[in-house]
Amino acid sequence: MNAEHRILPVPEGLAGERVDAAMARLFGLSRTRAADLINAGQVELDGAAVAKSDRVLPGAILDVTIPVEADPLEVVPEVVEGIKIIHDDDAIVVIDKPVGVAVHPSPGWTGPTVVGHLAGAGFRISTSGASERQGIVQRLDVGTSGVMVICKSEHAYSVLKNAFRQRTVDKTYHALVQGHPDPLEGTIDAPIGRHPKADYKFAVMADGRHSVTHYETLEAHRFASLLEIHLETGRTHQIRVHMAALKHPCVGDLTYGADPTLAKRCGLERQWLHAVRLGFEHPDSGEYVEYESSYPDDLARALEVIRDAH
């Protein structure tokens, strides 16, 4: 681990202060951070270990090792097992994203990322935007699998970013939802905003952002229905929030009210939601292209459990 080593004598003005308070003043740390370093054994006073409540004397030597905290937004090149390359050319790379992989680094996420994989696998992404999001024109939740496109050139980035903004990209998902939506096909037009009581969730909110989801039932079974869903807008958690609002949450989606017993029966540890198709005009050739992803093993097995339940 990288660390910064700092040694300073205690000045007269801090005589009699607690060690954590003296460190906070001398090194510009918070009292909490100073106390954490003391508890971790990273602080010595005149060559001896200290407690945070010990008092300092003028001229005493404070020896502090401060670990350099990793930047949560740094892209760490790392080949991620399970990411499949569906298509690759000079403008774009289309991947099949497995569950458990975030699209890009963010505060609080320490797991694998799509951008980290592409860097580790030697793909050159040369577009504008924040370094951790270079080439990213769409996102899939960590818990959602399927097809997504990343732009490799500046031209492709601007063309496809605009296409997503103008809603000319065809985004098709399959979702296994509890029960049977009524009607069997329809449109959900309900604004989505951050959940008032849990900041990691979203909800249908009167003052939320305009959100439109189109669905049709492909298969109806005793406990659940397989839907094909076309997104008109692309809000965070949009399908999950809209289906939960209809009282038909995605099977396995415990965050949005799914039945844990049914999830367990299906062997699911995440929501049954998969990005199956993505279609758009290729940014270089202008021709319409479409890419597909088949169901991963966990979703395929869960669907068989539902099909076999009578």
Side-chain angles (χ1 to χ4, degrees):
M1 182 189 291
N2 292 335
E4 184 184 356
H5 202 196
R6 298 171 75 174
I7 302 173
L8 284 178
V10 176
E12 288 281 349
L14 292 181
E17 288 275 11
R18 285 168 48 124
V19 177
D20 55 355
M23 282 173 59
R25 296 272 296 280
L26 280 172
F27 301 119
L29 303 170
S30 68
R31 285 277 289 268
T32 306
R33 178 90 167 111
D36 288 344
L37 291 172
I38 293 167
N39 293 335
Q42 306 279 20
V43 180
E44 289 185 351
L45 188 64
D46 281 341
V50 293
K52 64 184 181 183
S53 58
D54 287 354
R55 303 283 169 175
V56 296
L57 297 172
I61 301 298
L62 254 181
D63 184 336
V64 180
T65 302
I66 304 174
V68 177
E69 295 182 327
D71 178 358
L73 300 183
E74 182 187 0
V75 175
V76 179
E78 172 197 13
V79 173
V80 180
E81 192 179 340
I83 291 183
K84 299 190 195 84
I85 305 298
I86 297 173
H87 171 84
D88 176 36
D89 60 36
D90 290 342
I92 59 173
V93 55
V94 181
I95 67 160
D96 194 347
K97 185 187 90 65
V99 66
V101 180
V103 172
H104 56 73
S106 61
W109 176 253
T110 56
T113 66
V114 170
V115 291
H117 171 80
L118 294 176
F123 288 86
R124 271 189 56 75
I125 308 290
S126 51
T127 71
S128 57
S131 60
E132 78 277 5
R133 300 185 188 192
Q134 285 199 337
I136 299 302
V137 287
Q138 66 163 141
R139 291 174 187 79
L140 293 178
D141 294 348
V142 170
T144 301
S145 50
V147 62
M148 64 175 292
V149 62
I150 298 97
C151 298
K152 291 166 73 175
S153 71
E154 187 68 55
H155 173 70
Y157 180 80
S158 61
V159 170
L160 277 185
K161 188 130 181 112
N162 195 48
F164 275 99
R165 195 178 288 125
Q166 301 293 329
R167 303 175 190 163
T168 59
V169 177
D170 297 322
K171 298 172 284 188
T172 308
Y173 292 75
H174 283 183
L176 189 65
V177 304
Q178 292 179 194
H180 308 104
D182 181 18
L184 291 176
E185 64 179 85
T187 295
I188 307 162
D189 184 344
I192 291 175
R194 210 166 267 286
H195 195 286
K197 295 197 177 83
D199 64 0
Y200 61 92
K201 287 169 65 172
F202 293 80
V204 169
M205 307 282 289
D207 60 350
R209 298 174 72 192
H210 175 63
S211 309
V212 179
T213 302
H214 306 283
Y215 71 90
E216 61 178 293
T217 302
L218 299 178
E219 301 177 16
H221 300 286
R222 183 177 172 193
F223 296 108
S225 302
L226 181 66
L227 308 184
E228 179 158 297
I229 292 174
H230 294 270
L231 283 185
E232 194 171 307
T233 54
R235 308 298 176 217
T236 304
H237 296 185
Q238 179 172 320
I239 294 171
R240 300 166 64 192
V241 170
H242 272 170
M243 297 321 298
L246 288 188
K247 303 289 189 281
H248 298 289
C250 296
V251 175
D253 194 357
L254 305 188
T255 300
Y256 286 105
D259 176 5
T261 308
L262 184 62
K264 195 170 180 181
R265 241 178 98 183
C266 293
L268 277 178
E269 294 183 0
R270 53 122 160 187
Q271 65 267 14
W272 204 114
L273 179 61
H274 187 66
V276 290
R277 267 193 312 281
L278 194 61
F280 50 87
E281 288 185 3
H282 191 284
D284 282 0
S285 69
E287 68 177 295
Y288 186 81
V289 290
E290 194 169 73
Y291 303 100
E292 297 197 6
S293 162
S294 52
Y295 301 155
D297 291 345
D298 63 333
L299 301 190
R301 278 195 303 269
L303 181 55
E304 285 309 313
V305 170
I306 291 295
R307 284 171 173 162
D308 292 342
H310 299 298

